[in-house]
Every structure is written in structure tokens, then in C-alpha cells.
Amino acid sequence: DAGVIQSPRHEVTEMGQEVTLRCKPISGHNSLFWYRQTMMRGLELLIYFNNNVPIDDSGMPEDRFSAKMPNASFSTLKIQPSEPRDSAVYFCASSRGQYEKLFFGSGTQLSVL
Amino acid sequence: AQTVTQSQPEMSVQEAETVTLSCTYDTSESDYYLFWYKQPPSRQMILVIRQEAYKQQNATENRFSVNFQKAAKSFSLKISDSQLGDAAMYFCAYRSPYSEKLVFGKGTKLTVNP
């Protein structure tokens, strides 16, 4: 199994631009999570899906952030418009089901200039 | 809300020696799950060990073991026979039985000296 696949690995953009991060979970996994890691705040859950349905989006910082999971094998996290304070590493993770072991992708390093 | 505290931003250990990383947490729940994750320079988060609060026996995975003190809300990680490949950031995490959300500590950077 290829594991959780995230793209791009690095993204550099200018303030105000739209950014889309992509994630392919492990095949057969029903739960998908988006986490953000910064030096100041550490690792925070942004949103998670179960069977493609958003279950908890209370961690999404503001309306500029949106996440979708159109099918079981793909999810996106979009930031529009991006701001310098959005610079962070964004992780996608998946699990076989509720309360099962979590597998993380390698993350996307986002830099907003 | 639950919180997780790792009071040691950095630790170092000599190769082949033993090191203990500290973690405390705050919760009003009686049942929950605790985890240690490793984040090497490759950035990927890797599960090291997991403990269910209802289990009194401390979890062990090869050279990694925990000291779970429920009353003290303490969950330390012991790494025995440290290896150069153990060098990484280590994160303690909490999960409620009612949610899939992981609450992470700020991490401890472990350096292993040859």
C-alpha cells in the first residue's frame, strides 16, 4: 500500500492567491482528517470526515478555509484568499474506521509570502 | 477541553542509553486513549505506542514503553537502548472515547548522540 498521499509536498504562493491541497487516503479507509502544524500552535485538527461526510469542522479557522471529500479516494483543502499566517505544514491522515489507527501523509509545507 | 502538556522542549541521550520523555494531560473523562507519535525529519507522523486508560498494564512496543499514572494524569515514554534513528520530535496525544479528534502536546525534540 502506498500510504496516504499528499500533494504538493511544498507550495509557495503570494498573499491573496487561492491554494488547494490534495489528499488521497489509503484504500479502504473510511475516515479522513486534516491537521495543521505550526510552531506556535502545534498540531491542530481542522476537520475530519467519516464516509465522505464532514463530522467535525470546528477547527477550521475561518471562512477562507474549505474542505471537500467528493469520494472515498480524494479530499481537498482550499484556502481562498491565502494569508501569510496560513503558512504551516498541513497533514492529511486516514484510518480504517472510527477509533482505528491513524496513518499520516508526509504533509504539505505551505508558505504564503 | 482536554489539554496535553510536554514540559521538555528538548532532550538528548547517548546512543544505547535510556531516556524518558514526559507528558501530562488534563481531562474530566474517566476513559480515554493516549498516544506517542514520532516525527522524524521526513516530517511523517508515526505512531509509536498507544495506551487505553482502562488498562492498568503499561503498553510496551519493543524498546518503547510507557509509564501510565492515571491518578496523576501522567503518560511518560521510555526509550531503551537509544539508537541514532530514534532522533526525532515526539508528540504525546490524547483522544476522547467520544471523538476521533487527537489533541497533541507541543512536542519534545530528541537528539541521540553517538
Side-chain angles (χ1 to χ4, degrees):
Chain A
D1 200 326
V4 177
I5 299 172
Q6 290 188 247
S7 64
R9 185 162 173 80
H10 302 276
E11 176 80 28
V12 180
T13 191
E14 292 187 348
M15 183 174 62
Q17 296 298 305
E18 177 180 295
V19 176
T20 300
L21 311 181
R22 296 173 175 79
C23 175
K24 177 179 170 55
I26 294 173
S27 178
H29 282 196
N30 298 324
S31 295
L32 182 138
F33 305 76
W34 283 100
Y35 280 86
R36 179 172 67 176
Q37 184 178 30
T38 62
M39 288 295 293
M40 289 296 294
R41 300 175 66 89
L43 276 150
E44 303 173 286
L45 177 67
L46 299 177
I47 185 171
Y48 79 89
F49 297 83
N50 190 256
N51 292 322
N52 310 338
V53 176
I55 302 300
D56 182 354
D57 65 354
S58 60
M60 295 287 266
E62 47 198 274
D63 292 345
R64 296 184 299 106
F65 285 69
S66 62
K68 294 182 179 180
M69 192 165 186
N71 57 62
S73 59
F74 185 66
S75 177
T76 59
L77 178 66
K78 186 175 294 186
I79 309 172
Q80 166 63 20
S82 58
E83 297 182 2
R85 60 192 169 117
D86 301 331
S87 298
V89 179
Y90 290 82
F91 286 99
C92 178
S94 71
S95 68
R96 192 178 304 277
Q98 286 189 328
Y99 314 120
E100 294 291 327
K101 179 181 175 181
L102 204 57
F103 292 82
F104 282 79
S106 297
T108 295
Q109 173 81 58
L110 174 65
S111 297
V112 183
L113 306 177
Chain B
Q2 296 87 9
T3 58
V4 177
T5 302
Q6 294 179 249
S7 59
Q8 307 152 316
E10 296 188 25
M11 292 281 286
S12 64
V13 63
Q14 291 297 125
E15 197 175 2
E17 296 295 309
T18 296
V19 64
T20 298
L21 308 184
S22 301
C23 173
T24 59
Y25 56 94
D26 187 28
T27 183
S28 58
E29 295 173 326
S30 59
D31 193 19
Y32 44 86
Y33 302 87
L34 297 166
F35 305 83
W36 278 98
Y37 278 86
K38 172 184 178 181
Q39 186 178 39
S42 66
R43 211 164 64 194
Q44 190 165 18
M45 299 286 286
I46 303 165
L47 177 64
V48 174
I49 201 165
R50 159 187 167 142
Q51 175 82 42
E52 290 86 354
Y54 65 85
K55 290 185 178 179
Q56 292 187 338
Q57 188 172 6
N58 290 323
T60 299
E61 288 287 343
N62 300 315
R63 298 183 295 107
F64 298 87
S65 61
V66 299
N67 184 4
F68 174 48
Q69 301 290 328
K70 191 173 184 179
K73 295 181 182 176
S74 171
F75 183 60
S76 61
L77 175 69
K78 185 172 81 170
I79 307 173
S80 304
D81 185 25
S82 297
Q83 300 176 1
L84 295 177
D86 295 333
M89 285 290 292
Y90 286 83
F91 293 92
C92 180
Y94 173 101
R95 197 188 75 206
S96 165
Y98 309 109
S99 170
E100 293 197 69
K101 173 182 177 180
L102 285 174
V103 178
F104 286 91
K106 290 292 181 67
T108 296
K109 181 179 180 180
L110 178 66
T111 301
V112 180
N113 301 309

